[in-house]
Amino acid sequence: VVYLVVFHLSFVMFVWSYGKTIFTSPATPSNEFCLSKADKEQYEKEERPESQQEILRRAAKDLPIYTTTASRAIRYCDRCQLIKPDRCHHCSACDVCVLKMDHHCPWVNNCVGFSNYKFFLLFLMYSLLYCLFVAATVLQYFIKFWTNELPDTHAKFHVLFLFFVAAMFFISILSLFSYHCWLVGKNRSTIETFRAPTFRNGPDKNGFSLGCSKNLREVFGDEKKYWLLPIFTSLGDGCNFPTRLVIMDPEQLAVSSQNEPAKSSVANQSFPTRPLSESQNRLLSGDCQWVETGPEEENVKSGAKKHIIVSLES
């Protein structure tokens, strides 16, 4: 009875996760990232890249975008005609921009991204457990086959085939699942592993990492009772993400840490504009402090650098 219950439960969860990974449509950017009709027409008329970038900068000034291309340009998709949110990439197979795109998986014939990344992880985990369960069940008959204790029937070849297939899939899936567990702990996608996102202070492969615990919650949600179920519980909207980006002058940081009155002197200053993910996301509630040396306009006039210190508790 226990054997049948475990077998059917693992099989049901495997099929459920696999189906959710396949049939969940990739999440795409919201309309706020699309250019207005006037900006789109002006962008298409311009021939100089500098003028096109100026149009994109004006359109993106109020958007929660903190990453750029390697050449410091606004990330824009000519195919979808929209400004790419952070961690968003265009999939040539699906021909859409996918939020927090990890990769296009041929095994599920779908993009793995923000909308179905949790389902993909559960699919790997339950397929891993299913292969392990099958291999462990057939192991005793496999041993009898090699010791010539198994009756000489056609079934012995079925046992041999089943054990080798389960063992081979277990080894291959184990390596893939381990790799994605490491990615979750680092809060990276497969694309970001090979090409680090570029922030205002340069490429930073750990720019979106908030610590292992918070990274895990960002994918699986706050309710642990739903972690093992193929139900969407990921935090955020996929368009903007909290970051641990630090833009500061090291000397200024040392002065700020030693001069307590300096903190009170800027207490009444206006705070810099923060993305929705940092002002509303539960991952950073109560854990994020912002300090600015002065209004941005005054810093530009005086030629001084703008210093923003973001401290995140691990």
Side-chain angles (χ1 to χ4, degrees):
V1 176
V2 176
Y3 171 83
L4 292 177
V5 171
V6 175
F7 176 80
H8 285 93
L9 181 61
S10 59
F11 182 74
V12 168
M13 297 302 293
F14 163 73
V15 174
W16 188 6
S17 303
Y18 186 53
K20 293 286 286 185
T21 307
I22 294 176
F23 296 109
T24 301
S25 300
T28 57
S30 57
N31 293 331
E32 64 176 330
F33 292 91
C34 298
L35 294 180
S36 63
K37 185 177 180 181
D39 288 338
K40 189 182 300 183
E41 292 178 353
Q42 187 178 2
Y43 179 86
E44 293 175 351
K45 291 179 181 179
E46 291 290 346
E47 297 181 356
R48 296 184 304 169
E50 297 81 3
S51 301
Q52 291 179 335
Q53 278 298 306
E54 183 61 31
I55 296 173
L56 296 179
R57 279 193 290 269
R58 288 200 310 266
K61 65 179 181 179
D62 295 327
L63 296 177
I65 296 176
Y66 290 88
T67 58
T68 63
T69 64
S71 59
R72 305 289 180 168
I74 299 295
R75 300 172 64 245
Y76 180 74
C77 179
D78 292 312
R79 295 279 297 178
C80 300
Q81 295 184 329
L82 54 80
I83 297 174
K84 294 181 183 179
D86 294 340
R87 316 185 80 176
C88 175
H89 299 275
H90 185 87
C91 176
S92 58
C94 298
D95 198 25
V96 293
C97 283
V98 180
L99 296 179
K100 196 185 177 183
M101 180 178 175
D102 188 88
H103 68 287
H104 184 88
C105 182
W107 296 102
V108 299
N109 193 29
N110 196 7
C111 264
V112 177
F114 175 76
S115 60
N116 61 351
Y117 188 62
K118 176 189 174 182
F119 307 147
F120 177 73
L121 291 174
L122 293 180
F123 157 64
L124 293 180
M125 184 185 73
Y126 286 121
S127 58
L128 184 69
L129 294 177
Y130 186 66
C131 290
L132 178 63
F133 179 77
V134 172
T137 304
V138 183
L139 179 61
Q140 56 177 327
Y141 302 102
F142 180 76
I143 296 175
K144 290 181 179 180
F145 171 82
W146 284 107
T147 56
N148 294 322
E149 297 180 8
L150 197 66
D152 190 12
T153 61
H154 293 292
K156 67 178 183 179
F157 297 104
H158 298 165
V159 169
L160 183 65
F161 175 79
L162 186 61
F163 178 80
F164 271 112
V165 169
M168 289 173 59
F169 270 97
F170 174 79
I171 295 174
S172 60
I173 295 176
L174 178 61
S175 60
L176 182 60
F177 180 68
S178 302
Y179 173 69
H180 279 279
C181 288
W182 179 80
L183 289 180
V184 171
K186 297 292 185 179
N187 202 343
R188 300 179 199 168
S189 64
T190 301
I191 296 177
E192 292 168 351
T193 302
F194 294 98
R195 186 176 59 203
T198 302
F199 297 88
R200 285 175 291 179
N201 63 336
D204 187 358
K205 60 183 180 180
N206 294 318
F208 294 106
S209 180
L210 307 174
C212 186
S213 176
K214 292 182 179 181
N215 294 341
L216 189 66
R217 287 165 50 199
E218 187 171 311
V219 175
F220 290 94
D222 290 327
E223 298 290 337
K224 294 184 178 180
K225 59 183 178 181
Y226 298 124
W227 281 12
L228 299 180
L229 296 178
I231 301 174
F232 183 80
T233 55
S234 301
L235 300 181
D237 57 4
C239 291
N240 48 83
F241 298 88
T243 70
R244 58 182 303 167
L245 179 63
V246 177
I247 306 176
M248 60 187 177
D249 185 347
E251 295 181 0
Q252 180 69 20
L253 176 62
V255 173
S256 299
S257 62
Q258 297 176 1
N259 191 1
E260 293 296 331
K263 294 183 179 180
S264 60
S265 64
V266 298
N268 297 325
Q269 298 292 347
S270 59
F271 285 76
T273 303
R274 295 179 289 175
L276 295 178
S277 56
E278 292 179 351
S279 60
Q280 298 177 1
N281 197 303
R282 288 168 290 175
L283 290 174
L284 294 182
S285 58
D287 294 339
C288 186
Q289 296 178 350
W290 293 75
V291 179
E292 184 175 329
T293 57
E296 182 176 358
E297 295 80 2
E298 294 181 3
N299 289 343
V300 172
K301 292 180 181 179
S302 61
K305 294 181 179 179
K306 179 181 178 182
H307 305 287
I308 302 175
I309 300 176
V310 183
S311 60
L312 293 172
E313 297 179 3
S314 56

